[in-house]
Amino acid sequence: MTYSADSTRFDRDQTALDDSGADAAPDDTATGAYTLVVVSNRLPVDFEEGDDGAATWRTSPGGLVTALEPLMRASNGAWVGWPGVADRSFAPFDNDGISLVPVRLNEEDIEDYYEGFSNDTLWPLYHDVIAPPSYHRETWDAYVRVNRRFAAAAAAVAAPGATVWVHDYQLQLVPRLLREARPDLVIGFFNHIPFPPYGIYAQLPWRKQILHGLLGADVIGFQRVADAGNFSQAVRRLYGYATRGVVIDVPTGDNGQTGQSGQTGETRRVIAKHFPISIDAAAYEELARRPDIQARARQIREDLGNPKTLMLGVDRLDYTKGIGHRIKAFGELLADGRLSVEDVTLVQIASPSRERVSTYMALRDEIELAVGRLNGDFSTISHTAISYHHHSYPREEMVAMYLAADVMLVTALRDGMNLVAKEYVAVRFDADGVLVLSEFAGAADELKQAILINPHDIDGTKDAIVRAVEMPRRERARRMRSLRRKVAENDVAAWSASFLRALTGGAAVAAGIPDDLDLALQNLAGAENVLIALDFDGTLAPHVDHPEDARAITGTREAIQALLDLPGVRVAFVSGRALVSLQHVAQPQSSVLLTGSHGIEVQLDTPEIELNLVSSELEQLDTLARVLTSISGSIAGTTIERKPAGLALHTRLATEKDGQTAQREAREQLTDQLPGLTVREGKNVLEFSVRSSTKGDALEKLREYSGADRVFYAGDDVTDEDAFAALRDDDLGLKVGQGATLAGYRVRSPKEVTQVLVRIAALRAGLAL
């Protein structure tokens, strides 16, 4: 890593963001007219200057604009970003039906904020320091300054209560700046690149400020499960905030430096979860089916001498892409005689990238030297080993290349997703071609039927290439059909919809069963084995002042019995209550599977409740009971609920001020005396447990026990988000009431939940006739 000349100390790394940079903070009084605002480093247009000096704009091809374009038109949306031209100011304008709000950057901003901190510090750090990051205080100051500028632009155009979706690592401070200026906004952030493990992230001198900036969002999206986990771990290590699965409790009075909450003791829920991005698969396939593009694919092969096997690599010229590893493996295969230059040709597209950054200049020299050396050693007059191209191609030409290629090589050393892999799959409507894919690319989490490789393992990569070249036609077709189903089902529209569903809870939820939910229920009802898993309080039963008085609404028991009478259906209750309490209020049928205390207790077709606490946990329970009993006895309106592995402090009957005081005192005292406790915050309840478990853990246990093909889960509370996070692509999550959620569908109240259960039973019974 490199340091600036005056970087003898980094004590400025903990200064507040307000002291960095000269740009003004967002105006906390101004509001605009747009209900959806997208904020990204670049606008989705390219600037072209006419002969008369007038500005013209051409829409940039890209998955993000494809996904958001229809939504922004329908939602009165605006896009905030840099127009790609330095030192020029442009007024807001409309392009192809989308309102665009340009943010001005000068040459110094581009050098320090973009090429400096974003791409010479964050990019290598977030990609596992494949190249050494540089840490310069001047570039950090520029990063803060420009993030303020973007936040101010977004705050100025966002309508009251608008949704703002911020994109990528260049703008990680914007969510907090917006939160402070416009607390009325709903704010989402999506990180398109990896988020590194804590041991790597901790190297960043401004590590806490970045986390503080991101935690201004309501939902933070990542490409992979591991990325979201790395982020949550960094928050725990650096701030000590409570995390439960995908949920992070952020104190509302936090000042961003100490990790300490303010005087209220209140917290705000932040969801940090993976939302793997995708492509417009249908558009790529449509291009691939055009006769002119198919003819161009045949011409490409002819121009290359009609090799038996054409291999293709398509990358930005970046050190994260493993281009050198790919070339090395191919060269050794030629040297070993396992492949011959007469039979196999590699086409390598390496589009220019960040050419003013020294690391990229050196990389280009290295790659081009390797290509020249390999071609010099193995090419013949009529056959070239590597056809190398250092420039970009239009989308139509890329689709033709994908069609022409027998083998696609994606050997990234670290990649957030890698959409090239998905583009190749989407194009291959002929169900042919083989994808060789690095396990370090996010796409590997979804595209399991590719040949997965560790690109650092050169011998393993060589074997994978030979296997791809020699793969029988039937196996190629089987794998490609599976890959294509995955890409088609999870396209870019599904990605944006899932993120925005999690982000925007909506101010009101209509009564009844929505049409899209009914369609999903019809699909669910046809599964061979279905698990219907249900929270109780707030889902089957309305919330009441005294927990022991809760009862399911009229008709619920009959609906559950109708489900139990059907073959291939199991019903389970998944509750935070102790099982003894759940049995008292729910009075479940004997064949209903039960989990209580967030999965710590289970009763699965047995008369006994399974629970085993060790002596140290029993001692912690005694201490926990002593502390909470003391607090509850001194504050009116608070009650204690005893659970097998913990206790819950209920504040529903206390005044708002007294409830906050009781919860704050409980947190403070138990943090000192029992620092290892698991803490969960619900609606007017604070739960402490001596054993860590979530409703997501309970749901996985129920899925395994019941052997379910599909799972339906309904819940209303924060703790139910862990269960929603455990659902798979084919499962169905139902949120009861308002608020941000990971569930795919939403209804107003327990009344609708019972209607849903009746509907599932009727649909399944109808299918059985």
Side-chain angles (χ1 to χ4, degrees):
M1 61 186 64
T2 59
Y3 299 89
S4 55
D6 65 342
S7 59
T8 55
R9 62 191 181 91
F10 284 99
D11 53 348
R12 285 172 58 195
D13 67 342
Q14 297 301 319
T15 57
L17 293 178
D18 338 28
D19 297 328
S20 303
D23 282 32
D27 182 352
D28 60 2
T29 60
T31 58
Y34 297 101
T35 56
L36 173 64
V37 179
V38 171
V39 188
S40 66
N41 179 65
R42 279 294 303 272
L43 288 175
V45 290
D46 293 323
F47 172 78
E48 295 177 353
E49 190 166 21
D51 295 337
D52 58 356
T56 58
W57 304 93
R58 179 172 52 85
T59 301
S60 304
L64 190 59
V65 66
T66 300
L68 299 181
E69 198 172 34
L71 185 67
M72 296 188 76
R73 288 199 184 101
S75 306
N76 186 30
W79 194 308
V80 175
W82 176 49
V85 185
D87 292 310
R88 288 193 61 172
S89 297
F90 298 95
F93 62 96
D94 285 351
N95 181 75
D96 199 19
I98 299 178
S99 298
L100 303 180
V101 182
V103 175
R104 177 189 173 104
L105 296 182
N106 59 35
E107 286 289 352
E108 181 182 358
D109 294 329
I110 296 168
E111 181 178 352
D112 291 339
Y113 145 77
Y114 183 69
E115 294 176 350
F117 196 80
S118 295
N119 291 321
D120 203 30
T121 299
L122 294 176
W123 180 270
L125 182 77
Y126 281 29
H127 286 86
D128 294 349
V129 293
I130 294 170
S134 298
Y135 301 131
H136 300 307
R137 287 171 289 181
E138 296 86 354
T139 60
W140 162 250
D141 289 343
Y143 186 79
V144 175
R145 181 177 67 245
V146 173
N147 270 247
R148 285 186 176 282
R149 201 175 302 158
F150 276 84
V157 299
T163 297
V164 181
W165 192 359
V166 186
H167 287 269
D168 225 0
Y169 63 106
Q170 302 97 340
L171 302 174
Q172 292 176 101
L173 306 181
V174 169
R176 176 65 63 176
L177 293 167
L178 281 173
R179 173 75 52 198
E180 293 170 351
R182 294 284 306 278
D184 61 300
L185 298 176
V186 178
I187 304 168
F189 181 90
F190 187 78
N191 195 55
H192 291 257
I193 68 173
F195 194 91
Y198 179 74
I200 291 176
Y201 180 75
Q203 299 175 29
L204 182 65
W206 306 278
R207 57 197 186 185
K208 294 192 72 174
Q209 288 95 318
I210 294 290
L211 293 185
H212 184 59
L214 290 171
L215 289 171
D218 297 290
V219 176
I220 308 170
F222 299 91
Q223 299 280 27
R224 308 184 79 169
V225 174
D227 297 328
N230 290 342
F231 175 79
S232 295
Q233 183 187 31
V235 170
R236 289 194 302 271
R237 293 285 295 270
L238 292 172
Y239 278 104
Y241 296 160
T243 63
R244 306 181 313 279
V246 298
V247 176
I248 302 172
D249 294 324
V250 180
T252 55
D254 171 46
N255 63 20
Q257 303 303 319
T258 64
Q260 301 301 314
S261 62
Q263 298 302 310
T264 66
E266 296 179 352
T267 60
R268 182 175 60 83
R269 181 181 65 175
V270 174
I271 291 174
K273 182 185 178 291
H274 74 294
F275 297 86
I277 197 171
S278 193
I279 62 169
D280 186 353
Y284 274 93
E285 179 171 340
E286 183 179 347
L287 284 173
R289 289 182 179 275
R290 276 173 37 183
D292 60 318
I293 289 181
Q294 294 178 28
R296 176 58 186 150
R298 291 190 293 271
Q299 184 64 48
I300 289 171
R301 293 190 70 100
E302 289 178 14
D303 292 345
L304 293 167
N306 279 318
K308 290 181 180 178
T309 302
L310 178 59
M311 300 196 301
L312 176 65
V314 177
D315 312 88
R316 283 188 309 101
L317 188 57
D318 191 287
Y319 48 76
T320 65
K321 302 300 183 181
I323 300 173
H325 295 64
R326 181 183 315 162
I327 293 171
K328 181 177 178 62
F330 182 50
E332 289 190 9
L333 286 170
L334 294 175
D336 297 342
R338 297 175 68 185
L339 297 179
S340 71
V341 73
E342 288 80 12
D343 293 334
V344 181
T345 297
L346 170 61
V347 174
Q348 176 61 57
I349 310 298
S351 58
S353 175
R354 300 164 190 161
E355 296 196 293
R356 302 200 306 185
V357 178
S358 60
T359 308
Y360 288 79
M361 296 178 189
L363 176 67
R364 178 177 180 181
D365 291 342
E366 176 187 329
I367 295 301
E368 294 182 353
L369 179 64
V371 169
R373 187 172 290 157
L374 191 147
N375 277 337
D377 288 343
F378 298 105
S379 294
T380 66
I381 295 296
S382 56
H383 295 91
T384 301
I386 300 181
S387 179
Y388 175 80
H389 307 269
H390 180 59
H391 49 82
S392 301
Y393 288 96
R395 179 178 293 188
E396 290 80 1
E397 182 74 356
M398 291 310 309
V399 170
M401 289 187 182
Y402 292 147
L403 278 175
D406 303 293
V407 178
M408 185 78 213
L409 299 179
V410 178
T411 57
L413 306 180
R414 190 76 165 94
D415 214 336
M417 177 53 61
N418 195 288
L419 295 180
V420 164
K422 294 188 174 184
E423 291 170 3
Y424 179 71
V425 168
V427 162
R428 299 311 301 242
F429 68 91
D430 57 354
D432 204 357
V434 182
L435 174 63
V436 177
L437 177 62
S438 168
E439 63 190 61
F440 303 120
D445 288 355
E446 300 174 89
L447 304 183
K448 301 293 188 182
Q449 288 301 311
I451 300 179
L452 299 180
I453 62 167
N454 172 3
H456 298 284
D457 176 7
I458 299 298
D459 287 336
T461 300
K462 290 161 60 180
D463 292 341
I465 291 173
V466 171
R467 181 183 174 194
V469 170
E470 297 177 350
M471 185 176 291
R473 176 70 177 87
R474 177 175 291 185
E475 184 180 354
R476 296 200 307 268
R478 177 183 60 80
R479 287 173 175 267
M480 185 56 69
R481 281 194 293 266
S482 175
L483 293 170
R484 284 177 52 75
R485 279 195 301 272
K486 193 69 176 179
V487 171
E489 290 168 1
N490 299 290
D491 65 1
V492 70
W495 164 77
S496 63
S498 66
F499 186 94
L500 289 171
R501 275 199 305 267
L503 179 61
T504 56
V509 183
I513 302 177
D515 291 342
D516 61 341
L517 172 58
D518 192 67
L519 287 173
L521 295 177
Q522 294 175 39
N523 184 265
L524 176 86
E528 184 175 352
N529 294 293
V530 181
L531 171 66
I532 308 295
L534 307 160
D535 173 47
F536 185 76
D537 294 280
T539 300
L540 299 179
H543 285 291
V544 293
D545 290 339
H546 300 285
E548 65 273 15
D549 294 337
R551 294 294 184 274
I553 68 167
T554 302
T556 301
R557 186 176 182 84
E558 291 77 9
I560 289 174
Q561 187 60 56
L563 288 166
L564 292 171
D565 291 340
L566 293 168
V569 178
R570 295 304 309 260
V571 178
F573 291 167
V574 182
S575 178
R577 286 177 178 262
L579 275 189
V580 170
S581 172
L582 179 63
Q583 290 168 331
H584 170 70
V585 297
Q587 301 175 359
Q589 292 94 326
S590 59
S591 55
V592 172
L593 306 173
L594 301 177
T595 71
S597 304
H598 303 283
I600 292 174
E601 299 179 283
V602 296
Q603 192 171 12
L604 309 178
D605 295 324
T606 63
E608 296 84 18
I609 295 173
E610 297 179 24
L611 171 72
N612 296 300
L613 294 179
V614 299
S615 58
S616 61
E617 291 172 329
L618 293 172
E619 292 173 2
Q620 289 178 322
L621 271 177
D622 290 340
T623 302
L624 175 60
R626 185 173 64 254
V627 171
L628 292 186
T629 300
S630 174
I631 293 172
S632 179
S634 63
I635 299 178
T638 61
T639 58
I640 301 298
E641 179 189 359
R642 293 182 176 270
K643 300 191 174 188
L647 282 88
L649 174 65
H650 291 273
T651 59
R652 189 180 303 277
L653 301 181
T655 65
E656 183 178 356
K657 181 178 179 181
D658 285 347
Q660 293 171 356
T661 298
Q663 291 197 14
R664 182 177 66 252
E665 288 187 8
R667 285 182 183 275
E668 291 175 351
Q669 292 188 40
L670 291 170
T671 297
D672 291 338
Q673 298 187 44
L674 298 171
L677 286 180
T678 297
V679 184
R680 299 184 187 88
E681 183 175 3
K683 295 177 181 177
N684 299 305
V685 61
L686 200 60
E687 298 186 21
F688 299 89
S689 176
V690 300
R691 180 176 293 178
S692 177
S693 183
T694 70
K695 288 182 178 178
D697 299 326
L699 195 59
E700 289 296 338
K701 188 177 297 184
L702 288 166
R703 183 197 298 273
E704 181 180 0
Y705 178 80
S706 65
D709 304 306
R710 303 277 295 278
V711 173
F712 170 91
Y713 184 83
D716 76 307
D717 204 351
V718 176
T719 58
D720 294 303
E721 294 302 321
D722 295 315
F724 293 138
L727 295 177
R728 301 174 185 173
D729 291 343
D730 291 338
D731 296 334
L732 197 159
L734 183 64
K735 162 79 171 179
V736 183
Q738 302 172 14
T741 183
L742 297 175
Y745 301 90
R746 184 189 304 272
V747 293
R748 176 184 284 182
S749 69
K751 177 182 177 181
E752 279 77 15
V753 176
T754 298
Q755 293 173 359
V756 165
L757 299 180
V758 170
R759 179 65 171 150
I760 295 173
L763 287 167
R764 194 166 179 87
L767 290 171
L769 295 177

